[in-house]
Amino acid sequence: MKARSDESLDTPMTQMMDIVFLLIIFFVVTASVDKDVVDESINLAQAKSAPAVETVDPRAVTINLTKKGEVNIALRPMSMQALYNFLVNMRTQSGNSMPVLIRCDAKTRYKEIGNVMDTAAKAGLYRVRLVAMLDQ
Amino acid sequence: MKRKKAENLSVQMSSMIDIVFLLLIYFIVTAREEITEAHLSVNLPAPGAAKATENKPKMLEIEVHQGQYRLNGAPLETDVIESMLMGLGRTDPSMTVMVKVAFDAYASELVTALDLCDKAGLTNLNVVSLR
C-alpha cells in the first residue's frame, strides 16, 4: 500500500508532455486558420512611406480584385451586382462606417478599381482603403 | 562495454520531449508576424455629388494618367510633385485633394500618388475618375 502511494506521487512526465505538446499544436493550428482568406495570386502595389497597419477594424470587408478585373471575396467570385448586394447586406449589419479594403493587383487598371469604388459608394460605404505592400 | 552500448541505444523520451517542448515555446513566443501591408484610405464622392465639389478654392488636383502625373494641370515628375506636396502638407494638411484617375492608369500609379499624399500628411484624399 505504502509503495503504491509513493508510485502515484511522481508524475508520469512523458505522457503529460505528449499531451501538452499535442494541445499546443492544436491551438497553434486552429489559431492561424481563422485569419482572412486572401487571394495569393494578387501582387499588391508598393507603397514607400505609408504607415504600417496596426489594427484592422474587425468589421472590414476585404475585396480582392485581380489583374483582369475579376472580383472575389474570400476567393468566392462575384459579379458587380452580387458585390453590391453583399455590401448593402454588410452595411445593414455593421453600419455606414464599415471600412472596405480593396486588395488590387499593381497591374489592375483604374477602370476596374473605379467600378468597385462606385459599387461601394452606391451601397453607401465611403470609407474605402486601398491595400498596398510596404516597401522595405 | 556491451551493456553500456545497449543503454545508449534506448532514446530518453521524456528529456527529449522536454527540450522539443521548450524549443517550440521559444519559437512561438519569438515569432511575430511581420506587418507588410499598408492601407491607404480614400474618400469616395457620393454618387451624383461629384459636380458640386468642383472648382472650389483651396483644392489640390492631382491627375493620374498612365505613366504621367499632373499637379493642377501641369505634367510633373514624381519627385517634383513630392516636394510640392510636402510644402503644401506643412501649410494645410486638411486641404482637399482630388485625385483624378484616368481609366487606363494602373493601380500601382494610383497607389504611388496616394502614398505621396500620405507622406506629405495630407489626409483629405478624394478619388474620382477622370472624364
Side-chain angles (χ1 to χ4, degrees):
Chain A
M1 198 63 179
K2 182 117 199 208
R4 205 178 155 199
S5 138
D6 263 358
E7 230 174 301
S8 59
L9 265 179
D10 77 326
T11 328
M13 283 306 280
T14 320
Q15 289 94 317
M16 201 180 77
M17 285 293 169
D18 261 2
I19 288 169
V20 170
F21 187 36
L22 281 175
L23 279 175
I24 286 186
I25 290 190
F26 172 76
F27 284 119
V28 166
V29 169
T30 51
S32 52
V33 159
D34 62 18
K35 271 188 197 153
D36 268 347
V37 186
V38 291
D39 191 339
E40 295 295 341
S41 70
I42 290 174
N43 284 317
L44 293 170
Q46 304 260 317
K48 286 191 191 69
S49 44
V53 189
E54 256 125 53
T55 50
V56 182
D57 194 324
R59 297 171 303 165
V61 172
T62 307
I63 302 171
N64 296 304
L65 184 59
T66 64
K67 213 188 298 184
K68 292 186 194 119
E70 290 146 351
V71 175
N72 71 63
I73 291 179
L75 297 177
R76 197 159 55 108
M78 281 199 175
S79 67
M80 278 299 156
Q81 187 58 44
L83 179 68
Y84 173 75
N85 294 339
F86 178 80
L87 289 177
V88 168
N89 229 329
M90 292 304 284
R91 199 191 124 206
T92 51
Q93 279 172 32
S94 354
N96 275 351
S97 58
M98 183 187 86
V100 176
L101 303 179
I102 302 179
R103 283 174 58 92
C104 52
D105 196 282
K107 290 260 176 247
T108 313
R109 302 275 184 178
Y110 175 71
K111 197 177 166 217
E112 323 288 352
I113 307 166
N115 270 338
V116 174
M117 283 179 167
D118 286 348
T119 308
K122 243 193 284 169
L125 297 164
Y126 302 106
R127 277 181 72 192
V128 169
R129 282 144 192 271
L130 286 178
V131 180
M133 198 71 131
L134 276 183
D135 198 2
Q136 279 153 341
Chain B
M1 198 65 179
K2 184 134 196 196
R3 190 161 167 214
K4 204 178 169 191
K5 206 175 176 186
E7 229 175 303
N8 284 346
L9 269 177
S10 73
V11 191
Q12 293 173 340
M13 279 310 280
S14 54
S15 32
M16 199 180 79
I17 286 177
D18 254 4
I19 289 167
V20 168
F21 184 38
L22 282 175
L23 280 175
L24 191 73
I25 289 192
Y26 171 77
F27 284 117
I28 287 173
V29 169
T30 52
R32 177 161 293 164
E33 202 185 330
E34 215 179 314
I35 304 165
T36 52
E37 282 189 354
H39 291 173
L40 302 154
S41 52
V42 293
N43 298 329
L44 298 181
K51 284 275 173 285
T53 53
E54 273 181 46
N55 298 323
K56 266 194 189 166
K58 296 284 274 177
M59 193 175 80
L60 189 68
E61 204 178 281
I62 303 173
E63 286 179 27
V64 181
H65 296 266
Q66 196 192 341
Q68 194 190 52
Y69 298 96
R70 289 185 194 171
L71 192 67
N72 285 340
L76 294 170
E77 292 297 313
T78 44
D79 45 349
V80 181
I81 292 182
E82 187 182 335
S83 57
M84 289 177 86
L85 287 178
M86 292 298 259
L88 290 166
R90 268 193 294 274
T91 52
D92 185 6
S94 60
M95 174 188 239
T96 308
V97 181
M98 298 293 280
V99 182
K100 298 190 171 182
V101 197
F103 277 143
D104 60 352
Y106 288 118
S108 54
E109 290 164 325
L110 171 60
V111 165
T112 307
L114 293 174
D115 190 41
L116 289 178
C117 295
D118 230 47
K119 192 180 180 186
L122 297 162
T123 48
N124 194 355
L125 308 174
N126 301 276
V127 172
V128 290
S129 50
L130 190 73
R131 271 155 301 181

